[in-house]
Amino acid sequence: MMKTIAATPFEYAFDPAHTALVLIDMQRDFVAAGGFGASLGNDVTRLQAIVPALQRLLAAWRAAGALVIHTRECHRPDLSDCPPAKRLRGNPSLRIGDPGPMGRLLVAGEPGCAIIDALAPVGKEWVIDKPGKGAFYATGLHEKLQAAQITHLLMTGVTTEVCVQTTMREANDRGYECLIVEDATESYFPEFKAAALAMLTAQGGIIGWSAPSAALIEALR
Ligand code: C5J
């Protein structure tokens, strides 16, 4: 059944049966101390602030019986899917694949790669491991979404201007109607979050829409 919510830049209509809630990279490596995000010098506590809003939205979405997709940015243990340009750039305290307090950074199967307990996947929810920032690169996600007849994506997670924005742009180019949930996404840099939300929704929704999680939860009631 179609639902319509107030959104920016104008109303967003979606049918939960053809819509997926996408949680981007809510992993210990980005949200917890000692992970990849912290190795780059970031204050990870900023990202922890969205967890309660995401939990409420996730609970409402699960109650509606609609599709949930979790992504994890990570690489194979031999790093064969990690381009040297990604691993070697900059001067972080630890690089991708190096051992840290939560295991090897951004490596599949390591404790730091796991989605935080508060948002852990359940049942048949999809978990997509992605080597890039965007969830459509080298994952087969588009084909899986097409097979599941998903046309709309609700984008959440971290970080707003990197993996969330990249994924929303990839999705828009593939024809999905995307909405980014304002209080369920966060950046290490507040000004980058604000800029990303503004640029995604500018020019009549050039990439898509944004709305607060409360509007979605109310529509699902
Ligand atoms: C980053 C991400 N920031 N999940 N990854 O490297 O946004």
Side-chain angles (χ1 to χ4, degrees):
M1 201 177 100
M2 289 303 284
K3 315 265 184 196
T4 302
I5 60 167
T8 301
F10 48 82
E11 284 184 341
Y12 179 74
F14 66 103
D15 178 350
H18 296 283
T19 305
L21 176 66
V22 185
L23 285 79
I24 300 283
D25 301 356
M26 289 304 296
Q27 300 163 251
R28 294 186 186 130
D29 258 328
F30 291 104
V31 178
F36 176 69
S39 81
L40 298 175
N42 296 307
D43 171 11
V44 295
T45 59
R46 281 194 54 76
L47 306 195
Q48 293 164 9
I50 63 167
V51 173
L54 249 176
Q55 282 181 303
R56 288 191 294 275
L57 179 58
L58 185 57
W61 199 250
R62 283 173 174 162
L67 179 62
V68 178
I69 303 174
H70 305 261
T71 70
R72 300 185 295 206
E73 181 178 347
C74 60
H75 297 279
R76 297 185 195 123
D78 65 2
L79 302 185
S80 58
D81 59 354
C82 182
K86 180 176 183 183
R87 182 172 142 74
L88 300 178
R89 191 171 304 151
N91 191 25
S93 59
L94 291 172
R95 294 187 187 277
I96 294 169
D98 287 348
M102 295 186 291
R104 295 178 66 204
L105 293 193
L106 290 196
V107 169
E110 298 287 337
C113 176
I115 291 163
I116 59 171
D117 290 346
L119 301 168
V122 299
K124 292 187 178 154
E125 292 175 0
W126 299 4
V127 180
I128 304 288
D129 283 349
K130 60 184 185 62
K133 303 302 183 194
F136 286 83
Y137 169 65
T139 60
L141 178 58
H142 182 46
E143 292 70 24
K144 281 173 67 93
L145 290 170
Q146 284 188 306
Q149 299 186 319
I150 296 295
T151 54
H152 289 55
L153 298 173
L154 306 177
M155 307 296 311
T156 72
V158 298
T159 61
T160 313
E161 79 282 9
V162 185
C163 291
V164 180
Q165 177 169 213
T166 302
T167 300
M168 186 158 160
R169 288 174 181 274
E170 288 180 326
N172 183 59
D173 280 351
R174 287 164 177 79
Y176 297 93
E177 304 276 22
C178 302
L179 177 139
I180 184 166
V181 187
E182 293 156 4
D183 53 330
T185 182
E186 195 47 88
S187 169
Y188 300 119
F189 308 93
E191 67 276 24
F192 289 176
K193 173 178 175 176
L197 291 175
M199 66 177 83
L200 290 168
T201 58
Q203 304 177 76
I206 195 144
I207 307 296
W209 289 256
S210 77
S213 60
L216 290 161
I217 293 169
E218 181 60 31
L220 292 170
R221 253 194 262 280

